[in-house]
Amino acid sequence: MPVSRSGRALAAQPAKAVAPADGIRQHRLAVLLADMVPGARIIRVSQHQPSQTWPSPYTRAYDERGQPIPLNRTQRVATARWVIRAFPEKNWDEAHDLDLTTGILRPAAGACASSDGGR
């Protein structure tokens, strides 16, 4: 046991259970992605690229008005992988939207009407 300055042994303190800070981690991810894709407010992530029949990580980005932001291949794949790894419990057979202002991930089915003009 470590000895204090007074020469007495320090009493053992009970270990504190550290809960994973999912909210903090998700917010940090949103901040990093906002930095990676300037001007983006919503990141839509899916496992199916529109031009392929096999699963492939894919991302679309939208600004605050719901207009698409062009992404290069590296941004599309890296962003999708980061989000999928940060939320492994989600069903990635369907697309999800990550709000970069709050860090909240929700299924894209409910958001399509509001962000894509009813598509």
Side-chain angles (χ1 to χ4, degrees), residues 14 55 81-82 86 96 113:
R81 286 181 180 165
W82 287 6
H96 286 77

Side-chain angles (χ1 to χ4, degrees), residues 60-78:
R60 292 182 206 116
Y62 300 96
D63 63 10
E64 66 277 349
R65 296 177 311 183
Q67 300 299 316
I69 296 174
L71 301 174
N72 61 37
R73 184 181 186 285
T74 304
Q75 288 173 316
R76 285 192 310 265
V77 174

